[in-house]
Amino acid sequence: MSLIVQKYGGTSVADLERINVVAKRISSTFEQGNDLVVILSAMAGVTDGLISKALQVTTKPDKRELDVLLATGEQITSALMAITLQTMNYSAISLLGFQANVLTNTDHGNARIVEIDTSRISFHLDKRKIVIIAGFQGWDPDKNITTLGRGGSDTSAVAIAAALNADVCEIYTDVDGIYTADPNVCKKARKLDKISYDEILEMASLGAKVLQIRSVEIAKKYNVPVHVRSSFSEEEGTMVVNEYPEMESIIVSGVTSNKDEARITLKQVPDQPGIAEKIFNPITDAGIVVDMIIQNTWVGDTTDITFTVPMGDYEKALEIETEVAKNIMAEEVRGDSNISKVSVTGVGMKNHSGVASLMFKTLAAENINIIMISTSEIRISCVIEEKYTELAVRALHTAFGLDKQ
Ligand code: ADP
Ligand code: ASP
Ligand code: MG
C-alpha cells in the first residue's frame, strides 16, 4: 500500500464527462489499497474567464478580491469530484486550501507556500477517505485567501506530497509526459522516460508550462518523485529524477520557447558609473524581475541598454523607465512586446562545446535575426521576433538531432 498524490489539470476536469472519467481512475487507484489525495485545477478556461470578468469591472482589480474570485474555480471542481465519487459509493471529502491548512505568504496572485499542517488531511486518510483538495490556493496568516500564480495547482500537489511524505506525486495533464519540445508546437518531439530535476527546472523557467517552476523547486528540495502523465491514456509518462551519469552523454535534451516576455531599450544613456543602478533599482523596487540585459557600447560617451521583463510587468516597467530616462538624460525609451525567447537545454552541455554555434547557424539558415543572447551552464537562449517562434523551435529540434524517427 502506498500514499499517492494525484493532480489533475484543467483539461482533465474540463466538464462533467471528464470528471467522471477521472473519478474512475481515482477509484481504481483507491481500490488497489492505496491512500489517495487528489489535487484539482479549475475546469479548462474557467480561471481565464474569471480574470476577464474582473477586468471588465476595472482594469486594476484589487489583488485580494481577485484571489477570492479565482479560488472559486478550484472549489467547483473539488466539490463536483467529491459528489461524483460519493455517487459511486466511495467515501470522499473535498477540502479548500484553507481547510487543508496550506499556509502561504500574503503575496496575492503569486503567493508562496510557507507551511502545510497535514493533520486534517491525515485524519480523513486514516478513516479511508479519498481526500480531494482544491489546488492553486491557500490562506495567509491573516486568514485571507491567496492564490499561487498561474499553473499553481502543480505546486499545491508537489508541496502536499512533500508534506505528507507521499510515495509519488502523479501530475495528470493533456499530454502523456514531458517531451523534448512542446508536442503541440513540434510534432516531431519525443517523449522522455526520465528527466532530471535540474533540466525540467530550467525548461519550466524557460517557458515549458507543463510544470509550474515552483513545483519543480519543491520536488527537487524534498526529493519528491514526480510522474507526469496523461489522464487520457494508460501510458506511462515521464519520471522526474535526480541527475544520473548517463544523462551527461545527451548534450541537448530539450528546446523551449517563451512568448511571455517583452524588451525595453534605453537609447543613448550617458556611459557613467552608477547609471545601471539608476536604471534597475526602481525596477527591482517595483518587484519586477529582469531576465536578460545587454549593453551596447557606442563611439562617444553614450550607450544603449536593453533588458527583458515578464509581459505582465511590461507596462509598469515602461512607465518607470520613461521617468528614469528623463532623470538620467537618456535620449529615449523604446518597448517591444513582440519578442520571444527560444532556448536549448541539456546537462551534457557542461562538457561540450559547439552548442552555441550550431544554435546560431540554425537560426541564421532560417533567416531569423537574433536580438539578444544569454547562457548558463546547461542552457543557451536567444531572443527573436515572436512570429518566428514555432519555426525556430522546429528547426533547432531537428538541428540538435532530437526529432523522433
Ligand atoms: P494542465 O492544465 O494539465 O496543468 P498545462 O496546459 O498547464 O496543463 O500544461 C500542459 C501543456 O504543456 C501541454 O499541453 C503542452 O502544450 C505544454 N508543454 C510545453 N512544453 C512541453 C514539454 N516540453 N513537454 C510536454 N508538454 C509541454
Ligand atoms: N486554475 C489555475 C490556472 O489556470 C491553476 C492551475 O490550473 O494550475 O492557472
Ligand atoms: Mg498547468
Side-chain angles (χ1 to χ4, degrees), residues 22-321:
V22 166
K24 289 197 179 112
R25 190 184 283 269
I26 292 172
S27 63
S28 94
T29 310
F30 183 75
E31 289 289 354
Q32 287 157 25
N34 302 302
D35 280 339
L36 193 53
V37 176
V38 178
I39 317 298
L40 295 182
S41 288
M43 293 179 182
V46 165
T47 309
D48 286 338
L50 291 169
I51 292 173
S52 80
K53 277 209 174 68
L55 291 177
Q56 281 169 40
V57 181
T58 164
T59 50
K60 288 204 175 103
D62 178 75
K63 288 187 167 183
R64 180 192 181 279
E65 299 312 325
L66 195 58
D67 274 355
V68 176
L69 180 67
L70 297 193
T72 60
E74 273 69 11
Q75 178 164 353
I76 293 170
T77 44
S78 300
L80 285 173
M81 185 63 77
I83 293 169
T84 306
L85 285 163
Q86 286 166 3
T87 59
M88 292 162 64
N89 284 325
Y90 290 96
S91 179
I93 182 165
S94 69
L95 298 176
L96 299 181
F98 78 90
Q99 294 169 318
N101 272 315
V102 178
L103 183 71
T104 72
N105 65 11
T106 311
D107 190 3
H108 286 292
N110 197 24
R112 280 181 173 267
I113 297 177
V114 177
E115 198 190 331
I116 301 175
D117 170 0
T118 55
S119 50
R120 189 160 177 189
I121 302 174
S122 300
F123 173 82
H124 292 300
L125 287 177
D126 289 345
K127 294 199 154 26
R128 273 303 276 162
K129 285 194 182 172
I130 300 172
V131 181
I132 315 286
I133 301 176
F136 179 55
Q137 54 178 267
W139 65 346
D140 76 357
D142 293 326
K143 299 187 163 60
N144 295 300
I145 291 176
T146 54
T147 64
L148 309 180
R150 299 307 305 268
S153 298
D154 296 332
T155 302
S156 306
V158 175
I160 288 168
L164 287 168
N165 206 1
D167 295 287
V168 64
C169 179
E170 298 177 338
I171 304 284
Y172 285 91
T173 183
D174 55 1
V175 287
D176 52 14
I178 298 173
Y179 280 69
T180 48
D182 185 341
N184 288 319
V185 170
C186 181
K187 293 290 165 236
K188 291 178 179 162
R190 273 186 297 113
K191 190 175 93 182
L192 301 162
D193 294 332
K194 289 179 191 162
I195 190 165
S196 71
Y197 290 111
D198 285 333
E199 280 173 312
I200 186 62
L201 197 59
E202 198 75 46
M203 282 170 77
S205 69
L206 294 166
K209 67 165 183 168
V210 62
L211 285 176
Q212 198 199 34
I213 177 162
R214 268 187 213 150
S215 71
V216 188
E217 284 166 1
I218 297 171
K220 182 180 173 189
K221 186 166 172 192
Y222 297 99
N223 240 308
V224 180
V226 174
H227 185 181
V228 179
R229 56 190 310 187
S230 169
S231 69
F232 294 79
S233 80
E234 293 299 322
E235 287 252 324
E236 287 283 304
T238 304
M239 285 303 302
V240 184
V241 295
N242 279 310
E243 195 174 314
Y244 55 96
E246 300 91 86
M247 275 185 172
E248 299 232 355
S249 64
I250 304 161
I251 303 169
V252 167
S253 59
V255 181
T256 45
S257 62
N258 185 3
K259 295 180 179 175
D260 194 33
E261 282 191 27
R263 90 178 143 135
I264 291 176
T265 301
L266 281 90
K267 304 278 290 176
Q268 301 203 15
V269 174
D271 197 4
Q272 292 161 2
I275 284 290
E277 192 197 350
K278 290 202 172 90
I279 293 174
F280 293 110
N281 266 8
I283 291 278
T284 313
D285 290 346
I288 299 173
V289 181
V290 170
D291 181 17
M292 292 187 188
I293 302 175
I294 51 166
Q295 173 172 343
N296 303 341
T297 311
W298 281 65
V299 190
D301 51 8
T302 63
T303 177
D304 287 357
I305 292 184
T306 303
F307 60 93
T308 60
V309 293
M311 191 70 97
D313 295 323
Y314 174 54
E315 297 294 337
K316 183 98 201 262
L318 206 54
E319 211 176 281
I320 292 172
E321 290 307 330

Side-chain angles (χ1 to χ4, degrees), residues 322-392:
T322 308
E323 225 16 68
V324 168
K326 273 190 226 148
N327 296 339
I328 62 172
M329 316 271 268
E331 194 197 62
E332 65 166 318
V333 180
R334 281 192 201 157
D336 181 3
S337 55
N338 292 319
I339 58 160
S340 85
K341 184 168 72 176
V342 288
S343 311
V344 298
T345 31
V347 285
M349 240 185 246
K350 288 180 202 167
N351 311 316
H352 290 84
S353 57
V355 178
S357 60
L358 179 56
M359 182 165 190
F360 304 154
K361 196 171 119 189
T362 307
L363 294 176
E366 298 293 342
N367 252 322
I368 300 172
N369 187 35
I370 299 173
I371 303 169
M372 297 169 91
I373 300 166
S374 82
T375 61
S376 81
E377 220 185 3
I378 63 166
R379 153 185 74 85
I380 302 172
S381 301
C382 294
V383 170
I384 59 171
E385 267 187 81
E386 188 178 324
K387 64 181 179 190
Y388 295 122
T389 312
E390 286 76 19
L391 175 64

